[in-house]
Amino acid sequence: MPTVARSLITRAFALVLSLTPFMAHSAEEIVVYSARTEPLIKPLFDEYAKSSAVKIKFVTAEAGPLLQRLKAEGKNTPADLLITVDAGNLWQAKQEGLLQPVESKVLTDNIPAHLRDPDNQWFGLSIRARTIVYNTKKLKPADLPTYEGLADAKWKGKLCLRTAKKVYNQSLVAMLIAQKGEAEAEKIVKGWVANLAAPVFSNDVQVMDAIAAGQCDVGLVNTYYFGRLITKKPQLPLALFWPNQESTGVHVNISGAGVVKNAKHPKQAQALLEWMSSGKAQEVIAGSNLEFPANPAVKPDPLVAGWGPFKQNTLNVSQAGQLQAAAIKLMDRAGYH
Ligand code: FE
């Protein structure tokens, strides 16, 4: 065939493909719904393209709207894989019947048991610790308490927190309930509220800004927000502290993924998920957002590794979902809004 004709045919074929992004896609193309943003997932999928012929199309949105969309689309969904952050959201997706179990030795070997659904419907891919951040001009590590210790009256007027409306805090309180029981957890949360130095903030960065400015001494944040801020402003008098090392361990949460219940290409989705749980993919997933790889065999980014090793809470993160409603009610009763 003459080159010109061949190139015309190729172009016509490419045009047809591009016009039908979500219809009739072949087995060699899968669709990912992702609550992780494009700058975080695009490098990952570009990496996958180096070793797999399967093309990935993706849609990014907040977790809530993505779950709504999956529900509304039902059997007609083009989605094969769901990626989202927070075990609470993954638990919700499973509850609503939007995911399917995946039996995979690769996944159960790579991802520790506490970071995945006990029924294998979702798997953690990166770890974010929600831990204590403090003002290094005012405090030394030896001064710092446990999560429950932050409720002690000696921290009165020294604590800054993000709003209870954020799922990260709901998950943290849900894990407290799981470990301490509801009554004890409520006492702790009331203590936190009594110790607040300022009204709750709308995000973790504002909490750290207030601590750096001396408005408060300590707070609770996700580690990657600290990583991003300290990279931009290394002069800030802030450091992370790992609490509860003698007891329950640091509260961790995950970003993770699961194969969609009505996936048209479950095998390919599983293959992508398995790939994401190991090696280079784990480096990209964790490194791009300064998180810890979920796979303990993979080393974190040097900045993240520099925060030192810590004992994490090994209670299954699905508890964050299971007790989310109870946590929201408890925080409301305790005056944490
Ligand atoms: Fe976040």
Side-chain angles (χ1 to χ4, degrees):
M1 200 187 297
T3 317
V4 175
R6 201 186 309 159
S7 109
L8 274 179
I9 290 169
T10 311
R11 261 190 267 168
F13 192 56
L15 185 67
V16 170
L17 274 185
S18 71
L19 287 175
T20 54
F22 290 154
M23 294 139 61
H25 49 254
S26 74
E28 292 314 293
E29 180 178 292
I30 62 173
V31 176
V32 176
Y33 281 8
S34 172
R36 295 207 112 188
T37 55
E38 177 160 350
L40 295 182
I41 54 168
K42 177 108 182 4
L44 181 73
F45 296 156
D46 288 346
E47 188 66 35
Y48 192 57
K50 292 181 190 167
S51 60
S52 170
V54 175
K55 294 258 179 308
I56 300 172
K57 286 197 176 294
F58 58 86
V59 172
T60 63
E62 296 275 318
L66 276 185
L67 296 195
Q68 283 306 322
R69 183 166 169 175
L70 274 175
K71 244 200 292 188
E73 288 170 343
K75 283 195 160 52
N76 297 322
T77 189
D80 295 299
L81 190 76
L82 171 71
I83 299 178
T84 186
V85 295
D86 203 284
N89 290 329
L90 289 158
W91 183 87
Q92 197 65 41
K94 177 190 174 192
Q95 260 335 80
E96 293 183 2
L98 301 174
L99 302 176
Q100 61 172 288
V102 171
E103 302 312 324
S104 159
K105 184 161 158 41
V106 174
L107 286 168
T108 51
D109 280 354
N110 286 344
I111 307 301
H114 68 290
L115 303 176
R116 51 181 153 88
D117 173 40
D119 301 320
N120 296 320
Q121 292 204 19
W122 47 261
F123 298 82
L125 294 170
S126 66
I127 299 171
R128 55 269 304 283
R130 193 156 187 78
T131 196
I132 291 181
V133 60
Y134 66 99
N135 186 313
T136 52
K137 284 187 190 154
K138 295 186 175 186
L139 296 165
K140 297 186 297 295
D143 304 326
L144 289 159
T146 57
Y147 293 100
E148 49 273 36
L150 280 176
D152 193 288
K154 83 180 235 206
W155 296 98
K156 196 163 187 66
K158 295 184 172 169
L159 176 65
C160 278
L161 291 177
R162 180 181 188 159
T163 170
K165 292 184 178 67
K166 186 68 190 178
V167 68
Y168 304 153
N169 285 329
Q170 296 165 4
S171 292
L172 173 67
V173 171
M175 297 300 258
L176 269 183
I177 295 174
Q179 238 144 6
K180 308 247 169 215
E182 195 144 341
E184 185 60 26
E186 189 165 339
K187 244 194 261 169
I188 294 166
V189 175
K190 276 187 180 148
W192 291 352
V193 173
N195 288 341
L196 286 179
V200 293
F201 294 90
S202 61
N203 64 56
D204 283 16
V205 176
Q206 289 172 352
V207 168
M208 287 184 287
D209 283 342
I211 296 169
Q215 192 179 1
C216 35
D217 294 1
V218 285
L220 292 169
V221 296
N222 280 2
T223 42
Y224 57 89
Y225 290 115
F226 172 81
R228 283 183 211 162
L229 184 65
I230 214 71
T231 303
K232 261 192 285 172
K233 301 178 182 170
Q235 75 285 1
L236 288 180
L238 295 174
L240 293 176
F241 174 74
W242 305 128
N244 296 60
Q245 293 304 280
E246 308 296 321
S247 55
T248 46
V250 172
H251 169 70
V252 293
N253 209 319
I254 53 169
S255 80
V259 175
V260 171
K261 169 82 178 292
N262 293 309
K264 308 294 180 294
H265 312 102
K267 289 263 175 313
Q268 289 86 345
Q270 178 176 339
L272 174 61
L273 187 53
E274 287 174 346
W275 175 80
M276 288 198 288
S277 74
S278 58
K280 179 74 183 167
Q282 276 286 290
E283 277 175 35
V284 175
I285 290 171
S288 61
N289 196 33
L290 296 174
E291 291 179 71
F292 299 88
N295 182 335
V298 179
K299 285 203 179 66
D301 177 277
L303 175 84
V304 175
W307 303 334
F310 62 93
K311 171 179 155 184
Q312 41 174 297
N313 192 328
T314 53
L315 189 66
N316 191 288
V317 290
S318 65
Q319 292 286 319
Q322 233 152 60
L323 292 164
Q324 190 181 75
I328 292 170
K329 280 191 216 137
L330 185 154
M331 289 190 282
D332 192 52
R333 286 199 302 275
Y336 182 12
H337 300 297

